[in-house]
Amino acid sequence: MIQNVGNHLRRGLASVFSNRTSRKSALRAGNDSAMADGEGYRNPTEVQMSQLVLPCHTNQRGELSIGQLLKWIDTTACLSAERHAGCPCVTASMDDIYFEHTISVGQVVNIKAKVNRAFNSSMEVGIQVASEDLCSEKQWNVCKALATFVARREITKVKLKQITPRTEEEKMEHSVAAERRRMRLVYADTIKDLLANCAIQDDLESRDCSRMVPAEKTRVESVELVLPPHANHQGNTFGGQIMAWMENVATIAASRLCRAHPTLKTIEMFHFRGPSQVGDRLVLKAIVNNAFKHSMEVGVCVEAYRQEAETHRRHINSAFMTFVVLDADDQPQLLPWIRPQPGDGERRYREASARKKIRLDRKYIVSCKQTEVPLSVPWDPSNQVCLSYNNVSSLKMLVAKDNWVLSSEISQVRLYTLEDDKFLSFHMEMVVHVDAAQAFLLLSDLRQRPEWDKHYRSVELVQQVDEDDAIYHVTSPALGGHTKPQDFVILASRRKPCDNGDPYVIALRSVTLPTHRETPEYRRGETLCSGFCLWREGDQLTKRCWVRVSLTEVVSASGFHSWGLESRSKGRRSDGWNGKLAGGHLSTLKAIPVAKINSRFGYHQDT
């Protein structure tokens, strides 16, 4: 059965590449009408807020208080969520927020929020914050945030209507929202696994150990009585107000360590575990969990109780905030070392180090420039969740781009191309009479690939990371005039659909493993982004998307070496390819990217 599917796939691809007189400049079907529809378009869930920063909104440095900004962010996001839901909504969580710029008194804060995706009763709201100087007309990006809201009705259960994305940005955010939701659900387990399986190291040699501060000296506890002005229109405590109170006690705790006025740089996930109402007493607790070379993490939790005689307190929120201390030149200063208390203090100390490692791994993976070599990222258990997320989201975002150009179509097999900076992407579409779930199972196990793809000589399963992720070592025969065969170390991440209309996804990218280093026997190849997207269309029709982004020397998985492409990188030929694609000479081609396939071929269950 696998051999039959592979044979049909190869024949379909060969028919596309044999057509040298294809329609090279035709736009993707419907692209013109979509652009026309997008003129003057505004997302129906979009809400905008503009606020003038007054002295009453600022801190001791004359800058907008982060607590006040969080109030405005939460209000704007809530209004957007309720516009889509048509009923009251409550804040469930707020993802990591990185503050890039401070806002001074007299400037304007512009906040824009819109619903990225709706699930059953929850939805993800994307928020963008910018500041504006009215005198100079300059604008700065301040931060981006992602909030999760839950729709609530007193009588009936809420079933949210789905979002229909129209613009390229909306399609990308909608596609990746499901993967971000998956990340939120496994975040706590990721921290536990990291602490259990990885050695967390700290850079003590760079710290000022002459000023060792016991963690208990930074502890802050404050109580707030929830009054009517603190409540939202549903009678619950306003989520933005709770976040502002949390920022206040965290700042006090950080100040007790550094004996200065700290600056908040990062907030790591506000998580609302339950509501509180007018009349509740909220106890806010903060303590410095760990101090690094130039930053410190402060943990904050909020507990609620109704009457003074109550002994049981409800845990309603928690968050982790990262502060720095800036000198006169806005450069971070060295911080004293924190000495944790035995027991829970040591646990918080180690967890803070684990969260820092996750942040640094995420920053490294996201910041890797696609034009630099090597493309592969070192894999270890501490960054597996972030790598898997980046693997899948990169593929989804590439597929969601609007500016694909139809280059060829034969027998309902369509080949699209996309030239973006120094990258050339190929994207092919076809429809096959195969159940999407069955095709997903066949294609997601790379060990079966050599049975139908001659460019896969051997595939070894190196590590089954979890149910959805695996690492393979792939070898390929020598091609393009080279005498040595190629090999790859590939992370394969697969995802089943989150909702109806979502594709099955199989995403591939190169990683680095200490157990499989480059050897003289092979030329090490790399792939940045490749894979399949499978949509169910009808009972057994599957639209298959195959996407590849890689260096020119990466081996093709579906006959790309026979294309006759011309590629020059730094003045030299790559892989001996010659000829032209889509009539364009690509003088700086460094990556062969995509492919999305859409053609019809017969398939029978008994073959």
Side-chain angles (χ1 to χ4, degrees):
M1 180 173 61
I2 300 172
Q3 185 70 40
N4 182 72
V5 174
N7 290 335
H8 283 301
L9 180 59
R10 285 198 300 273
R11 286 198 293 269
L13 292 172
S15 66
V16 176
F17 303 138
S18 64
N19 182 15
R20 298 296 181 182
T21 60
S22 58
R23 295 169 296 172
K24 300 177 178 64
S25 59
L27 292 177
R28 189 175 183 174
N31 190 50
D32 289 334
S33 59
M35 291 179 63
D37 293 341
E39 294 180 1
Y41 166 75
R42 179 173 176 176
N43 190 301
T45 69
E46 183 179 301
V47 173
Q48 297 184 15
M49 174 187 288
S50 294
Q51 294 282 355
L52 180 64
V53 179
L54 302 176
C56 60
H57 301 141
T58 61
N59 55 25
Q60 67 281 353
R61 294 187 301 273
E63 300 168 349
L64 174 64
S65 166
I66 297 297
Q68 180 62 59
L69 179 59
L70 291 172
K71 290 183 184 180
W72 291 338
I73 289 175
D74 190 58
T75 300
T76 311
C78 182
L79 293 175
S80 175
E82 292 185 349
R83 176 173 290 184
H84 176 70
C87 64
C89 296
V90 296
T91 312
S93 66
M94 188 84 71
D95 284 7
D96 299 359
I97 306 176
Y98 297 86
F99 297 98
E100 303 173 12
H101 198 277
T102 58
I103 307 173
S104 302
V105 64
Q107 294 181 342
V108 173
V109 181
N110 297 312
I111 305 173
K112 183 186 297 184
K114 66 177 187 295
V115 177
N116 291 332
R117 180 161 184 166
F119 301 97
N120 290 328
S121 60
S122 66
M123 67 203 92
E124 180 189 275
V125 180
I127 308 111
Q128 293 182 333
V129 182
S131 61
E132 176 186 358
D133 190 303
L134 296 176
C135 299
S136 64
E137 297 185 351
K138 291 182 179 179
Q139 295 188 12
W140 300 270
N141 292 324
V142 176
C143 67
K144 293 182 180 180
L146 293 167
T148 301
F149 282 81
V150 177
R152 293 284 177 86
R153 286 196 184 102
E154 294 183 0
I155 301 175
T156 59
K157 186 177 181 180
V158 178
K159 175 63 177 179
L160 294 173
K161 60 183 178 182
Q162 295 300 307
I163 292 288
T164 303
R166 291 182 57 182
T167 66
E168 178 179 322
E169 179 186 359
E170 290 175 3
K171 291 175 183 177
M172 289 183 179
E173 294 293 345
H174 182 273
S175 179
V176 180
E179 192 65 16
R180 287 192 289 253
R181 182 172 182 251
R182 183 178 184 271
M183 286 268 289
R184 297 182 194 108
L185 296 176
V186 303
Y187 182 78
D189 292 336
T190 302
I191 296 292
K192 292 179 182 178
D193 292 342
L194 182 58
L195 291 172
N197 302 320
C198 301
I200 305 299
Q201 298 180 351
D202 225 338
D203 51 348
L204 298 178
E205 67 278 359
S206 301
R207 296 181 177 179
D208 184 1
C209 295
S210 63
R211 294 187 297 147
M212 186 181 299
V213 179
E216 284 301 310
K217 284 194 173 182
T218 68
R219 184 180 294 277
V220 179
E221 182 171 321
S222 178
V223 64
E224 299 283 353
L225 176 62
V226 181
L227 300 173
H230 303 142
N232 58 23
H233 52 298
Q234 305 169 50
N236 296 324
T237 311
F238 176 42
Q241 179 62 69
I242 296 177
M243 289 189 280
W245 283 335
M246 295 172 70
E247 186 268 341
N248 177 62
V249 296
T251 302
I252 297 173
S255 300
R256 288 181 175 175
L257 174 70
C258 62
R259 298 300 174 187
H261 297 305
T263 299
L264 180 59
K265 299 298 290 184
T266 305
I267 298 176
E268 188 163 318
M269 193 175 289
F270 287 106
H271 185 189
F272 289 87
R273 302 172 183 271
S276 63
Q277 292 80 32
V278 172
D280 280 350
R281 282 75 169 168
L282 301 187
V283 179
L284 298 103
K285 300 178 180 179
I287 190 171
V288 177
N289 292 330
N290 202 337
F292 308 102
K293 184 178 180 180
H294 291 124
S295 65
M296 68 187 98
E297 182 195 275
V298 179
V300 189
C301 74
V302 184
E303 298 174 339
Y305 64 96
R306 191 69 180 176
Q307 301 294 335
E308 292 296 339
E310 290 184 11
T311 57
H312 175 70
R313 294 180 177 179
R314 310 187 309 274
H315 182 194
I316 66 169
N317 202 345
S318 59
F320 303 98
M321 305 186 188
T322 302
F323 290 84
V324 298
V325 178
L326 303 177
D327 59 18
D329 298 322
D330 287 337
Q331 296 301 312
Q333 298 182 4
L334 291 174
L335 295 175
W337 178 36
I338 197 78
R339 187 175 64 207
Q341 293 292 110
D344 285 344
E346 293 176 343
R347 173 185 58 80
R348 292 192 297 265
Y349 182 90
R350 296 188 68 247
E351 289 176 351
S353 297
R355 281 185 289 270
K356 181 189 177 186
K357 177 170 176 53
I358 291 176
R359 286 194 299 270
L360 294 177
D361 288 342
R362 182 190 304 136
K363 182 178 180 180
Y364 171 73
I365 293 170
V366 173
S367 66
C368 283
K369 296 181 180 179
Q370 298 178 356
T371 56
E372 294 181 351
V373 178
L375 297 176
S376 57
V377 176
W379 184 93
D380 64 65
S382 66
N383 68 359
Q384 70 178 61
V385 174
C386 187
L387 255 180
S388 178
Y389 163 78
N390 182 264
N391 193 14
V392 175
S393 61
S394 297
L395 180 63
K396 286 185 172 183
M397 292 174 69
L398 190 57
V399 172
K401 285 184 175 293
D402 280 344
N403 51 340
W404 291 97
V405 176
L406 180 60
S407 179
S408 175
E409 180 177 4
I410 299 178
S411 302
Q412 298 182 350
V413 180
R414 295 174 183 170
L415 169 64
Y416 298 94
T417 59
L418 171 64
E419 293 187 43
D420 184 12
D421 193 16
K422 296 181 180 180
F423 288 86
L424 174 65
S425 300
F426 301 101
H427 173 101
M428 287 180 291
E429 291 182 355
M430 75 165 104
V431 175
V432 297
H433 291 274
V434 183
D435 180 69
Q438 186 176 26
F440 173 71
L441 292 176
L442 293 176
L443 295 173
S444 60
D445 188 354
L446 296 190
R447 290 173 295 183
Q448 303 184 52
R449 193 70 170 267
E451 298 182 28
W452 61 272
D453 189 343
K454 65 180 181 180
H455 296 101
Y456 274 57
R457 189 170 70 177
S458 67
V459 178
E460 172 198 1
L461 177 62
V462 177
Q463 183 174 352
Q464 187 69 47
V465 180
D466 53 32
E467 183 180 355
D468 296 322
D469 296 275
I471 299 176
Y472 296 91
H473 181 239
V474 178
T475 63
S476 168
L479 294 167
H482 290 280
T483 57
K484 289 184 179 181
Q486 276 191 303
D487 71 335
F488 304 83
V489 178
I490 294 177
L491 170 66
S493 304
R494 65 177 195 171
R495 299 289 187 273
K496 294 181 180 179
C498 179
D499 288 320
N500 292 333
D502 283 352
Y504 291 86
V505 177
I506 305 162
L508 310 173
R509 71 157 298 160
S510 291
V511 294
T512 303
L513 284 178
T515 57
H516 287 71
R517 300 184 185 276
E518 186 173 357
T519 62
E521 182 183 356
Y522 295 99
R523 291 183 301 115
R524 176 57 54 90
E526 293 183 305
T527 177
L528 177 65
C529 173
S530 59
F532 292 87
C533 291
L534 310 169
W535 282 268
R536 187 188 302 274
E537 296 188 349
D539 293 335
Q540 282 195 327
L541 292 181
T542 298
K543 183 167 67 174
R544 177 173 302 172
C545 161
W546 191 93
V547 181
R548 186 162 203 77
V549 180
S550 60
L551 290 178
T552 53
E553 293 188 281
V554 171
V555 63
S556 165
S558 296
F560 287 89
H561 290 286
S562 62
W563 287 15
L565 299 182
E566 185 174 61
S567 170
R568 297 182 185 272
S569 177
K570 298 182 180 179
R572 64 178 179 86
R573 298 290 282 257
S574 297
D575 277 359
W577 293 356
N578 48 57
K580 295 183 180 179
L581 179 70
H585 175 72
L586 306 175
S587 60
T588 54
L589 177 62
K590 283 192 174 181
I592 296 283
V594 232
K596 193 178 176 187
I597 316 175
N598 195 344
S599 169
R600 187 180 293 268
F601 61 83
Y603 174 83
H604 301 282
Q605 294 286 349
D606 57 350
T607 57

PDB file of all heavy atoms in Angstrom, residues 308-324:
ATOM      1  N   GLU A 308     -12.895  37.052  58.065  1.00  0.00           N
ATOM      2  CA  GLU A 308     -11.646  37.000  58.833  1.00  0.00           C
ATOM      3  C   GLU A 308     -11.497  35.703  59.593  1.00  0.00           C
ATOM      4  O   GLU A 308     -10.394  35.248  59.869  1.00  0.00           O
ATOM      5  CB  GLU A 308     -11.583  38.194  59.795  1.00  0.00           C
ATOM      6  CG  GLU A 308     -11.422  39.535  59.103  1.00  0.00           C
ATOM      7  CD  GLU A 308     -10.095  39.641  58.366  1.00  0.00           C
ATOM      8  OE1 GLU A 308      -9.159  38.896  58.690  1.00  0.00           O
ATOM      9  OE2 GLU A 308     -10.002  40.469  57.443  1.00  0.00           O
ATOM     10  N   ALA A 309     -12.633  35.086  59.960  1.00  0.00           N
ATOM     11  CA  ALA A 309     -12.567  33.851  60.748  1.00  0.00           C
ATOM     12  C   ALA A 309     -12.247  32.629  59.892  1.00  0.00           C
ATOM     13  O   ALA A 309     -11.957  31.555  60.423  1.00  0.00           O
ATOM     14  CB  ALA A 309     -13.896  33.633  61.477  1.00  0.00           C
ATOM     15  N   GLU A 310     -12.285  32.772  58.570  1.00  0.00           N
ATOM     16  CA  GLU A 310     -12.022  31.631  57.692  1.00  0.00           C
ATOM     17  C   GLU A 310     -10.552  31.223  57.756  1.00  0.00           C
ATOM     18  O   GLU A 310      -9.660  32.067  57.751  1.00  0.00           O
ATOM     19  CB  GLU A 310     -12.380  31.965  56.239  1.00  0.00           C
ATOM     20  CG  GLU A 310     -13.867  32.100  55.996  1.00  0.00           C
ATOM     21  CD  GLU A 310     -14.165  32.340  54.524  1.00  0.00           C
ATOM     22  OE1 GLU A 310     -13.230  32.190  53.708  1.00  0.00           O
ATOM     23  OE2 GLU A 310     -15.307  32.688  54.205  1.00  0.00           O
ATOM     24  N   THR A 311     -10.339  29.929  57.830  1.00  0.00           N
ATOM     25  CA  THR A 311      -8.961  29.417  57.835  1.00  0.00           C
ATOM     26  C   THR A 311      -8.532  28.946  56.451  1.00  0.00           C
ATOM     27  O   THR A 311      -7.341  28.912  56.145  1.00  0.00           O
ATOM     28  CB  THR A 311      -8.835  28.249  58.815  1.00  0.00           C
ATOM     29  OG1 THR A 311      -9.792  27.218  58.464  1.00  0.00           O
ATOM     30  CG2 THR A 311      -9.116  28.720  60.248  1.00  0.00           C
ATOM     31  N   HIS A 312      -9.510  28.578  55.618  1.00  0.00           N
ATOM     32  CA  HIS A 312      -9.191  28.090  54.273  1.00  0.00           C
ATOM     33  C   HIS A 312      -9.105  29.265  53.301  1.00  0.00           C
ATOM     34  O   HIS A 312      -9.992  30.123  53.270  1.00  0.00           O
ATOM     35  CB  HIS A 312     -10.260  27.109  53.795  1.00  0.00           C
ATOM     36  CG  HIS A 312     -10.061  26.667  52.374  1.00  0.00           C
ATOM     37  ND1 HIS A 312      -9.020  25.843  51.990  1.00  0.00           N
ATOM     38  CD2 HIS A 312     -10.766  26.961  51.230  1.00  0.00           C
ATOM     39  CE1 HIS A 312      -9.092  25.635  50.686  1.00  0.00           C
ATOM     40  NE2 HIS A 312     -10.135  26.303  50.210  1.00  0.00           N
ATOM     41  N   ARG A 313      -8.036  29.319  52.554  1.00  0.00           N
ATOM     42  CA  ARG A 313      -7.856  30.360  51.548  1.00  0.00           C
ATOM     43  C   ARG A 313      -7.790  29.738  50.158  1.00  0.00           C
ATOM     44  O   ARG A 313      -7.176  28.693  49.969  1.00  0.00           O
ATOM     45  CB  ARG A 313      -6.577  31.158  51.823  1.00  0.00           C
ATOM     46  CG  ARG A 313      -6.635  31.957  53.117  1.00  0.00           C
ATOM     47  CD  ARG A 313      -5.342  32.713  53.340  1.00  0.00           C
ATOM     48  NE  ARG A 313      -5.397  33.550  54.546  1.00  0.00           N
ATOM     49  CZ  ARG A 313      -4.396  34.293  54.986  1.00  0.00           C
ATOM     50  NH1 ARG A 313      -3.249  34.326  54.306  1.00  0.00           N
ATOM     51  NH2 ARG A 313      -4.531  35.017  56.080  1.00  0.00           N
ATOM     52  N   ARG A 314      -8.419  30.410  49.204  1.00  0.00           N
ATOM     53  CA  ARG A 314      -8.466  29.925  47.824  1.00  0.00           C
ATOM     54  C   ARG A 314      -7.306  30.525  47.030  1.00  0.00           C
ATOM     55  O   ARG A 314      -7.115  31.732  47.012  1.00  0.00           O
ATOM     56  CB  ARG A 314      -9.784  30.318  47.150  1.00  0.00           C
ATOM     57  CG  ARG A 314     -11.023  29.982  47.960  1.00  0.00           C
ATOM     58  CD  ARG A 314     -12.297  30.247  47.172  1.00  0.00           C
ATOM     59  NE  ARG A 314     -12.365  31.580  46.575  1.00  0.00           N
ATOM     60  CZ  ARG A 314     -12.798  32.665  47.185  1.00  0.00           C
ATOM     61  NH1 ARG A 314     -13.170  32.597  48.472  1.00  0.00           N
ATOM     62  NH2 ARG A 314     -12.853  33.825  46.553  1.00  0.00           N
ATOM     63  N   HIS A 315      -6.543  29.660  46.366  1.00  0.00           N
ATOM     64  CA  HIS A 315      -5.455  30.131  45.503  1.00  0.00           C
ATOM     65  C   HIS A 315      -6.081  30.551  44.179  1.00  0.00           C
ATOM     66  O   HIS A 315      -6.567  29.709  43.418  1.00  0.00           O
ATOM     67  CB  HIS A 315      -4.428  29.016  45.292  1.00  0.00           C
ATOM     68  CG  HIS A 315      -3.254  29.437  44.467  1.00  0.00           C
ATOM     69  ND1 HIS A 315      -2.369  28.538  43.918  1.00  0.00           N
ATOM     70  CD2 HIS A 315      -2.810  30.664  44.082  1.00  0.00           C
ATOM     71  CE1 HIS A 315      -1.443  29.181  43.242  1.00  0.00           C
ATOM     72  NE2 HIS A 315      -1.695  30.482  43.321  1.00  0.00           N
ATOM     73  N   ILE A 316      -6.041  31.840  43.846  1.00  0.00           N
ATOM     74  CA  ILE A 316      -6.741  32.309  42.657  1.00  0.00           C
ATOM     75  C   ILE A 316      -5.808  32.765  41.544  1.00  0.00           C
ATOM     76  O   ILE A 316      -6.247  32.895  40.398  1.00  0.00           O
ATOM     77  CB  ILE A 316      -7.735  33.444  43.007  1.00  0.00           C
ATOM     78  CG1 ILE A 316      -6.989  34.689  43.493  1.00  0.00           C
ATOM     79  CG2 ILE A 316      -8.754  32.977  44.021  1.00  0.00           C
ATOM     80  CD1 ILE A 316      -7.892  35.884  43.595  1.00  0.00           C
ATOM     81  N   ASN A 317      -4.536  33.017  41.825  1.00  0.00           N
ATOM     82  CA  ASN A 317      -3.649  33.475  40.759  1.00  0.00           C
ATOM     83  C   ASN A 317      -2.193  33.305  41.171  1.00  0.00           C
ATOM     84  O   ASN A 317      -1.877  33.288  42.359  1.00  0.00           O
ATOM     85  CB  ASN A 317      -3.906  34.948  40.419  1.00  0.00           C
ATOM     86  CG  ASN A 317      -3.433  35.318  39.023  1.00  0.00           C
ATOM     87  OD1 ASN A 317      -2.681  34.575  38.410  1.00  0.00           O
ATOM     88  ND2 ASN A 317      -3.877  36.458  38.519  1.00  0.00           N
ATOM     89  N   SER A 318      -1.328  33.217  40.169  1.00  0.00           N
ATOM     90  CA  SER A 318       0.115  33.171  40.403  1.00  0.00           C
ATOM     91  C   SER A 318       0.822  33.640  39.141  1.00  0.00           C
ATOM     92  O   SER A 318       0.278  33.571  38.034  1.00  0.00           O
ATOM     93  CB  SER A 318       0.580  31.753  40.779  1.00  0.00           C
ATOM     94  OG  SER A 318       0.256  30.839  39.744  1.00  0.00           O
ATOM     95  N   ALA A 319       2.037  34.134  39.301  1.00  0.00           N
ATOM     96  CA  ALA A 319       2.834  34.604  38.170  1.00  0.00           C
ATOM     97  C   ALA A 319       4.288  34.722  38.599  1.00  0.00           C
ATOM     98  O   ALA A 319       4.608  34.721  39.802  1.00  0.00           O
ATOM     99  CB  ALA A 319       2.321  35.953  37.653  1.00  0.00           C
ATOM    100  N   PHE A 320       5.172  34.826  37.608  1.00  0.00           N
ATOM    101  CA  PHE A 320       6.602  35.027  37.847  1.00  0.00           C
ATOM    102  C   PHE A 320       7.044  36.233  37.043  1.00  0.00           C
ATOM    103  O   PHE A 320       6.768  36.330  35.845  1.00  0.00           O
ATOM    104  CB  PHE A 320       7.390  33.779  37.461  1.00  0.00           C
ATOM    105  CG  PHE A 320       6.946  32.541  38.179  1.00  0.00           C
ATOM    106  CD1 PHE A 320       6.078  31.649  37.579  1.00  0.00           C
ATOM    107  CD2 PHE A 320       7.376  32.286  39.473  1.00  0.00           C
ATOM    108  CE1 PHE A 320       5.645  30.518  38.240  1.00  0.00           C
ATOM    109  CE2 PHE A 320       6.945  31.151  40.149  1.00  0.00           C
ATOM    110  CZ  PHE A 320       6.083  30.266  39.534  1.00  0.00           C
ATOM    111  N   MET A 321       7.745  37.147  37.689  1.00  0.00           N
ATOM    112  CA  MET A 321       8.149  38.396  37.055  1.00  0.00           C
ATOM    113  C   MET A 321       9.671  38.544  37.136  1.00  0.00           C
ATOM    114  O   MET A 321      10.267  38.270  38.182  1.00  0.00           O
ATOM    115  CB  MET A 321       7.461  39.588  37.729  1.00  0.00           C
ATOM    116  CG  MET A 321       5.954  39.479  37.768  1.00  0.00           C
ATOM    117  SD  MET A 321       5.154  40.969  38.395  1.00  0.00           S
ATOM    118  CE  MET A 321       3.443  40.392  38.514  1.00  0.00           C
ATOM    119  N   THR A 322      10.256  38.996  36.039  1.00  0.00           N
ATOM    120  CA  THR A 322      11.697  39.183  35.955  1.00  0.00           C
ATOM    121  C   THR A 322      12.023  40.668  35.953  1.00  0.00           C
ATOM    122  O   THR A 322      11.498  41.425  35.126  1.00  0.00           O
ATOM    123  CB  THR A 322      12.260  38.522  34.681  1.00  0.00           C
ATOM    124  OG1 THR A 322      11.935  37.126  34.696  1.00  0.00           O
ATOM    125  CG2 THR A 322      13.770  38.681  34.613  1.00  0.00           C
ATOM    126  N   PHE A 323      12.891  41.080  36.885  1.00  0.00           N
ATOM    127  CA  PHE A 323      13.282  42.481  37.029  1.00  0.00           C
ATOM    128  C   PHE A 323      14.772  42.631  36.748  1.00  0.00           C
ATOM    129  O   PHE A 323      15.562  41.701  36.937  1.00  0.00           O
ATOM    130  CB  PHE A 323      13.011  42.984  38.456  1.00  0.00           C
ATOM    131  CG  PHE A 323      11.554  43.135  38.786  1.00  0.00           C
ATOM    132  CD1 PHE A 323      10.804  42.047  39.224  1.00  0.00           C
ATOM    133  CD2 PHE A 323      10.928  44.366  38.714  1.00  0.00           C
ATOM    134  CE1 PHE A 323       9.470  42.172  39.559  1.00  0.00           C
ATOM    135  CE2 PHE A 323       9.595  44.516  39.048  1.00  0.00           C
ATOM    136  CZ  PHE A 323       8.861  43.418  39.472  1.00  0.00           C
ATOM    137  N   VAL A 324      15.139  43.842  36.324  1.00  0.00           N
ATOM    138  CA  VAL A 324      16.541  44.238  36.203  1.00  0.00           C
ATOM    139  C   VAL A 324      16.704  45.593  36.878  1.00  0.00           C
ATOM    140  O   VAL A 324      15.723  46.305  37.122  1.00  0.00           O
ATOM    141  CB  VAL A 324      17.007  44.327  34.730  1.00  0.00           C
ATOM    142  CG1 VAL A 324      16.914  42.979  34.054  1.00  0.00           C
ATOM    143  CG2 VAL A 324      16.198  45.373  33.974  1.00  0.00           C
TER     144      VAL A 324
END
